[in-house]
Amino acid sequence: MPRRLIFLRLLFFCFVMFLPPAQGQLPPAKKDPLSPAQSAPGQAGCSTTEASSCAEVAAKLLPIVMGPSPMEENLRRLTDEIGGRVTGTPEMARAIEWGVAAFRAAGVDVHTEKYTLPITWNEGQTSLTILEPISVFARSAESNGKILLVAPKFRAVSEAWGPATPQGGITAEVVDLGAGSEGDFGRAGASVRGAILLVHSDIGSTWADLFNEYLRPPDIISRALKGGASAILWMGARERLLLYRHTNSLAGEIDRIPQAVLAREDAMRLARTIAAYPGKVRAHLDMPNKIGGPIEQQNVVGEIRGYEKPDETVILGAHLDSWELGTGALDNGCNSALVIEAARAIKATGLLPRRTIRFVLFSGEEQGTIGSYEYVKAHRAEIDKIRAMINFDNGIGRVTGYSLGGRRDIEAGVRGVLKPLESWGVNNHTYDASFGSDNFDFLLEGVPTLDATQEEANYLPNYHAASDTLDKVDMRELKLHTVIAALTAWGIADRAEPLGKRLSRAELDVLVKETGLDQQLKALGYWDAWQSGARGRKP
């Protein structure tokens, strides 16, 4: 992207050559010269109306981040050497060690915080074999001089946190349920009982498509259970036989019915066969998933303490866990590396912010944002002093701004912080509020949240897939994102006044309704917990 390279060089040149002296960032005259500098007590910090320290900080961050750094090697070790990191597995434990070591190497104070994951899960050897009509699918093979007919296996993987099939698997008719609507189930009638259901999907190409992958299934699953189905096959939403891990369990519990994602082309072939031989297609599905009990897990927390209001915090976070078919580079290894690099860069400037900045690598995100939920629970006594939560979880597509979680009141402050990077096109903010990442429980507690808004780039085709590997990461783009993240965290932490207040429960009730978050909470099964105060700010 040559134009952005030109912007970057011009911006850095302007910072270095034309900015006034950074007097507000100099230490007091009698301060120990080896101590970090800090913002002067009277300085306004980052705002749209007063002299901004953010331009000065950006000028320092740019050469640190864009120059030689350990970020690429850190990410290589996480993805190529540790690989996929499902919460509760040995790989996740190694990733925690990786995060702690990387923060320490950056000179950033770090600790881990424990919580209990209620259930562990590992996929067994998933197998889907089409048994009938044998004449259509079988292939001949020779064994000991005999010609045998071999039933083919279709490519499928279990839904994550899905139950195992009964011992010996499930043998049943396969019924095509189309989109799985109420009308589709009505037309299928009694054929649903005991059947393996095939449910169609569209190819995922937009963020809306991705959200729909999570919003559609709960009602379909309920209909399947009501009709007495034995299992569900979801047509893959990726092309070229690409398999990916999906979960319809969004609170860390084992799901209610066995489910598998079937390679898209195999699923389409199966649908065509059902249409040609109605009522005659039978299959054997075996998913011997391994389910275990509670296990202790950890979040990794780095910290740069503020000099004036150390008990007030700004959080920059990303989830460290991933699914295991690929190596979790886009989702979300690149942004875990970003958080560590942002901490390193801020530390390397030698400057201290007014407030404490915490850099958190959450685990348990893929199982329903469990790690961040547990963090919020553990820190509930200090929620009033968490001034913002900044989250990165959308791969490597260009950052265009932040989703502000329905908070128009914080937009001016965010714009002021990012004004030095205006030419990058990063001040295009939205006001939507949604589930899906580690900002979620902070939002429900009334904390100002900023979730990075990014172009899709190559995120969706590789989402949770075997193809989510390090070669998909554009390192230059990741470095630019790191500058944005570091400046955002610094700027909010160094403001004279908080970015925004914590919303009351009454204000949150209005926000949830106005943003449509109430409908998402209902569709995903969170509504009762929200209403009772079990999740989010108590009524």
Side-chain angles (χ1 to χ4, degrees):
M1 282 172 270
R3 186 170 63 180
R4 294 194 68 201
L5 180 60
I6 293 170
F7 284 157
L8 177 61
R9 290 173 174 170
L10 288 175
L11 182 64
F12 177 58
F13 178 79
C14 291
F15 282 152
V16 174
M17 298 302 295
F18 298 111
L19 281 174
Q23 296 176 348
Q25 299 296 329
L26 294 175
K30 295 183 179 181
K31 187 174 177 65
D32 182 348
L34 297 180
S35 296
Q38 62 190 40
S39 303
Q43 183 174 315
C46 301
S47 74
T48 56
T49 58
E50 301 185 54
S52 175
S53 65
C54 278
E56 301 161 10
V57 174
K60 292 178 179 291
L61 289 171
L62 274 164
I64 294 170
V65 175
M66 301 308 296
S69 84
M71 180 162 59
E72 186 167 3
E73 175 59 16
N74 280 343
L75 183 54
R76 187 199 65 78
R77 290 201 302 270
L78 177 65
T79 56
D80 284 352
E81 296 185 9
I82 298 175
R85 310 166 293 282
V86 178
T87 304
T89 64
E91 290 77 18
M92 188 70 233
R94 289 178 61 199
I96 296 294
E97 294 172 356
W98 169 90
V100 170
F103 275 123
R104 284 180 178 158
V108 176
D109 292 338
V110 62
H111 66 276
T112 61
E113 298 186 4
K114 298 176 181 178
Y115 68 91
T116 299
L117 182 73
I119 294 170
T120 59
W121 180 93
N122 282 285
E123 184 180 25
Q125 189 65 43
T126 295
S127 173
L128 176 66
T129 305
I130 308 303
L131 303 177
E132 297 177 18
I134 193 71
S135 60
V136 173
F137 287 102
R139 296 291 180 268
S140 60
E142 184 175 345
S143 176
N144 296 324
K146 297 181 180 180
I147 301 298
L148 304 176
L149 290 178
V150 179
K153 295 182 183 297
F154 277 19
R155 286 151 283 218
V157 292
S158 173
E159 175 222 13
W161 259 246
T165 51
Q167 188 171 5
I170 296 169
T171 299
E173 179 186 347
V174 184
V175 175
D176 190 338
L177 258 293
S181 68
E182 190 170 350
D184 292 326
F185 272 86
R187 284 184 288 275
S191 66
V192 169
R193 181 163 300 279
I196 298 171
L197 306 182
L198 175 64
V199 179
H200 293 228
S201 68
D202 295 326
I203 296 173
S205 58
T206 67
W207 294 122
D209 294 335
L210 181 58
F211 272 82
N212 203 36
E213 281 192 49
Y214 291 94
L215 292 171
R216 281 182 64 221
D219 285 344
I220 296 172
I221 292 169
S222 294
R223 294 179 192 124
L225 289 167
K226 184 178 179 180
S230 61
I232 300 174
L233 302 176
W234 302 97
M235 179 184 288
R238 322 280 189 271
E239 295 183 288
R240 299 176 181 85
L241 301 172
L242 185 63
L243 292 172
Y244 59 94
R245 187 75 71 202
H246 183 74
T247 184
N248 292 316
S249 169
L250 299 177
E253 77 285 357
I254 296 300
D255 214 331
R256 299 174 290 167
I257 185 172
Q259 300 164 61
V261 175
L262 183 57
R264 185 173 188 84
E265 290 78 4
D266 283 349
M268 295 175 75
R269 181 185 178 192
L270 182 56
R272 292 191 298 268
T273 305
I274 294 170
Y277 299 90
K280 297 181 179 179
V281 178
R282 293 178 62 80
H284 180 78
L285 176 64
D286 192 19
M287 294 192 303
N289 297 331
K290 301 174 180 65
I291 297 166
I295 187 171
E296 188 177 86
Q297 292 296 280
Q298 299 173 84
N299 295 319
V300 182
V301 182
E303 184 173 280
I304 296 176
R305 288 185 63 77
Y307 72 90
E308 183 180 303
K309 301 178 179 180
D311 59 333
E312 296 185 16
T313 59
V314 172
I315 295 172
L316 174 61
H319 72 87
L320 179 56
D321 64 307
S322 76
W323 294 120
E324 82 293 6
L325 295 181
T327 61
L330 294 172
D331 188 17
N332 192 38
C334 62
N335 289 315
S336 295
L338 172 152
V339 168
I340 294 168
E341 180 68 359
R344 184 192 75 85
I346 291 172
K347 185 79 173 180
T349 66
L351 305 175
L352 289 178
R354 279 185 170 85
R355 297 174 183 81
T356 295
I357 304 176
R358 285 186 187 155
F359 306 86
V360 187
L361 304 180
F362 297 105
S363 58
E365 192 271 351
E366 298 292 4
Q367 291 72 40
T369 62
I370 294 175
S372 51
Y373 173 56
E374 293 293 340
Y375 181 95
V376 167
K377 284 183 8 184
H379 292 267
R380 187 156 276 143
E382 63 190 65
I383 291 289
D384 282 336
K385 293 189 176 182
I386 298 179
R387 296 308 184 196
M389 192 281 175
I390 307 154
N391 187 59
F392 276 72
D393 186 18
N394 288 318
I396 206 65
R398 188 174 70 88
V399 174
T400 58
Y402 290 103
S403 166
L404 303 180
R407 297 288 299 269
R408 293 177 184 271
D409 60 305
I410 67 174
E411 182 180 11
V414 175
R415 286 187 176 280
V417 167
L418 293 174
K419 191 173 182 179
L421 305 181
E422 190 81 39
S423 64
W424 292 12
V426 296
N427 253 331
N428 301 299
H429 308 296
T430 62
Y431 313 107
D432 53 300
S434 64
F435 78 100
S437 195
D438 290 307
N439 58 305
F440 180 57
D441 283 285
F442 293 91
L443 187 158
L444 293 182
E445 288 286 347
V447 174
T449 61
L450 294 79
D451 189 38
T453 302
Q454 297 176 242
E455 295 176 349
E456 290 90 346
N458 60 352
Y459 186 74
L460 297 178
N462 301 295
Y463 179 71
H464 291 179
S467 56
D468 183 4
T469 48
L470 182 57
D471 52 285
K472 309 303 187 304
V473 176
D474 181 331
M475 288 305 302
R476 180 180 172 280
E477 197 72 37
L478 184 58
K479 287 191 171 192
L480 294 173
H481 295 177
T482 302
V483 174
I484 296 165
L487 181 61
T488 304
W490 168 273
I492 295 173
D494 201 49
R495 285 172 55 88
E497 299 298 328
L499 178 66
K501 67 175 185 176
R502 182 188 180 193
L503 297 184
S504 68
R505 175 59 190 235
E507 291 169 321
L508 281 167
D509 283 332
V510 173
L511 182 149
V512 164
K513 185 175 182 179
E514 287 183 345
T515 59
L517 185 57
D518 57 338
Q519 298 305 310
Q520 296 179 43
L521 295 174
K522 291 173 183 176
L524 297 166
Y526 293 140
W527 184 249
D528 289 344
W530 164 249
Q531 288 287 80
S532 68
R535 196 155 190 168
R537 187 159 195 176
K538 296 185 183 299

